[in-house]
C-alpha cells in the first residue's frame, strides 16, 4: 500500500475507525466521523501519501450520513476502515 507511514497517521486512522464504530446508530458521531476522515484525507494529500488518501476518498464516497435512519453501508465502510488501518499499521517505518 504505502511506505513510511508515520505513527501519528496510524493513530489518527485508529481514532477514526473507533469513531465509525460509535457512529453506526448515532447521527452526530456519523457526521463527526465524516468530518475527521475528510480532515485526515487532506492531511495525507499534503504529506503526499496519495495512495492512502485515495483509499480514504473511496471510503468517503460510500459514507452518506442520514438522520433518523440506519446507514445502509455501515458494514462496508467499517470493513474498509479496518483494512486501511491494518495496512497502515504494517507500513509504519518501512
Amino acid at each position: 500500500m504505502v511506505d513510511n507511514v508515520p505513527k501519528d497517521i496510524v493513530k489518527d486512522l485508529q481514532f477514526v475507525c473507533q469513531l465509525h464504530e460509535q457512529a453506526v446508530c448515532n447521527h452526530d458521531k456519523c457526521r463527526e466521523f465524516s468530518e475527521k476522515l475528510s480532515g485526515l484525507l487532506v492531511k495525507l494529500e499534503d504529506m503526499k501519501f496519495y495512495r492512502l488518501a485515495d483509499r480514504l476518498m473511496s471510503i468517503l464516497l460510500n459514507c452518506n450520513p442520514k438522520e433518523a435512519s440506519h446507514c445502509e453501508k455501515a458494514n462496508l465502510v467499517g470493513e474498509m476502515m479496518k483494512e486501511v488501518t491494518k495496512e497502515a499499521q504494517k507500513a509504519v517505518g518501512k
Side-chain angles (χ1 to χ4, degrees):
M1 182 176 91
V2 261
D3 292 332
N4 299 316
V5 175
K7 288 183 182 179
D8 64 315
I9 295 296
V10 174
K11 287 182 183 179
D12 290 345
L13 282 168
Q14 290 170 332
F15 173 77
V16 174
C17 195
Q18 289 176 332
L19 193 56
H20 183 265
E21 290 174 8
Q22 299 169 6
V24 174
C25 294
N26 183 330
H27 182 263
D28 291 334
K29 288 283 184 185
C30 186
R31 200 166 280 299
E32 183 182 355
F33 164 77
S34 181
E35 290 170 4
K36 296 285 185 189
L37 192 60
S38 296
L40 185 53
L41 177 118
V42 170
K43 183 177 179 179
L44 288 168
E45 287 177 337
D46 289 346
M47 296 173 72
K48 301 191 184 331
F49 284 103
Y50 298 117
R51 289 190 65 204
L52 186 54
D54 286 348
R55 300 279 304 273
L56 296 190
M57 181 60 78
S58 294
I59 293 170
L60 280 170
L61 288 172
N62 283 294
C63 183
N64 186 13
K66 297 178 181 178
E67 286 190 54
S69 167
H70 181 74
C71 177
E72 297 142 7
K73 295 188 177 183
N75 290 336
L76 173 66
V77 170
E79 290 304 313
M80 290 172 79
M81 278 302 307
K82 288 176 187 174
E83 182 180 322
V84 168
T85 302
K86 186 186 293 185
E87 289 179 21
Q89 287 172 328
K90 290 178 183 177
V92 170
K94 283 188 178 179

